[in-house]
Amino acid sequence: MKYKRILLKLSGEALMGTQQYGIDPDRLNQYATEIKEVASRGVEVAIVIGGGNIFRGVQAEASGIERVQGDYMGMLATVINGMALQSALESNGTYTRLMSGINMEQVCEPFIRRRAIRHLEKGRIVIFGAGIGNPYFTTDSTASLRAIEIQADVVLKGTRVDGVYTADPEKDPSAKRYSQLTFQEAYEKNLNVMDMTAFTLCMENGLPIIVFDMNKPGNLLKILEGEKAGTLIQS
Ligand code: UDP
């Protein structure tokens, strides 16, 4: 396997599948199966999952909810998704731990860096819920930060698009996909890889990012086997 320890970022929105809201059980099980597949080959897997399928901080403002309050609501949404993913992974026969950036001992462990690393060394799949526990951040920033903290080899950003394009491929049919980019190129071309906070963290710490289509079955394993899929962004 090309990478020994990965941080997989899954968006909350992707979990909706064809639904308008919430969690699509088929999608959830597909993810669990693919994650199990790579974990069973000895890859240490940490996961950050978004909350956009349930709640987003920015959308709160429109409904009169204060931004910070909305952000905390978004963080709680990621815990709900984390719990769902944990259950799906466990029913597939893997060992998991859900660690939260906001203390809630009844449902998950608090995030303790050394403990997270220990879980990974023991082959447990670690899910990081509640973001970094602070408003004004995103789950992309959480993915970058946690990846650096646990010394992951790469951040794998699973989306519904198969990489980074010259323009939005859902709007511009002539858009072309990059197979590889440096951080500098992505920055200068103003390409939408991750939000700036998340992107800068990876750039400054030389942590490679791969943006890929997580909804295409088998893609995750392909990448770990060193096949080219998606877009690799590195120093
Ligand atoms: N959030 C936050 N701090 C964090 C992580 C998340 O405040 O460290 C909030 C933020 O409001 C965000 C929401 O949680 O909108 C859900 O996460 P995100 O939108 O990143 O999820 P995704 O788009 O990946 O589904």
Side-chain angles (χ1 to χ4, degrees), residues 59-222:
Q59 107 203 10
E61 279 183 313
S63 47
I65 297 170
E66 181 207 351
R67 168 70 197 262
V68 172
Q69 181 86 338
D71 277 346
Y72 279 112
M73 291 167 76
M75 287 184 252
L76 296 183
T78 72
V79 177
I80 295 177
N81 284 336
M83 291 170 77
L85 185 62
Q86 177 173 43
S87 290
L89 282 164
E90 280 178 348
S91 44
N92 263 288
T94 54
Y95 293 95
T96 67
R97 291 290 186 274
L98 174 60
M99 303 187 108
S100 173
I102 294 176
N103 285 359
M104 43 180 107
E105 289 84 1
Q106 281 82 357
V107 287
C108 44
E109 295 181 9
F111 169 70
I112 297 169
R113 180 181 155 267
R114 285 171 187 275
R115 206 169 186 185
I117 293 173
R118 191 78 194 111
H119 288 323
L120 292 168
E121 287 169 351
K122 286 188 173 171
R124 295 171 185 145
I125 296 168
V126 178
I127 304 165
F128 296 122
I132 61 172
N134 280 96
Y136 296 107
F137 287 88
T138 61
T139 47
D140 275 358
S141 317
T142 308
S144 305
L145 179 64
R146 294 289 185 247
I148 296 162
E149 287 183 279
I150 62 164
Q151 293 170 314
D153 303 316
V154 65
V155 175
L156 299 177
K157 181 173 161 155
T159 62
R160 51 197 180 131
V161 189
D162 64 349
V164 179
Y165 280 76
T166 48
D168 183 349
E170 283 173 357
K171 289 182 193 140
D172 181 353
S174 69
K176 292 210 163 44
R177 183 171 63 87
Y178 294 101
S179 67
Q180 209 166 320
L181 281 163
T182 63
F183 285 111
Q184 200 58 36
E185 282 168 337
Y187 178 74
E188 277 163 14
K189 294 187 163 78
N190 204 9
L191 298 171
N192 188 17
V193 179
M194 282 180 168
D195 65 76
M196 259 313 145
T197 311
F199 182 82
T200 312
L201 269 174
C202 290
M203 182 162 77
E204 287 178 349
N205 291 281
L207 178 69
I209 308 167
I210 297 176
V211 179
F212 74 106
D213 183 358
M214 179 68 192
N215 296 342
K216 199 166 157 213
N219 244 2
L220 179 63
L221 180 61
K222 257 195 204 166

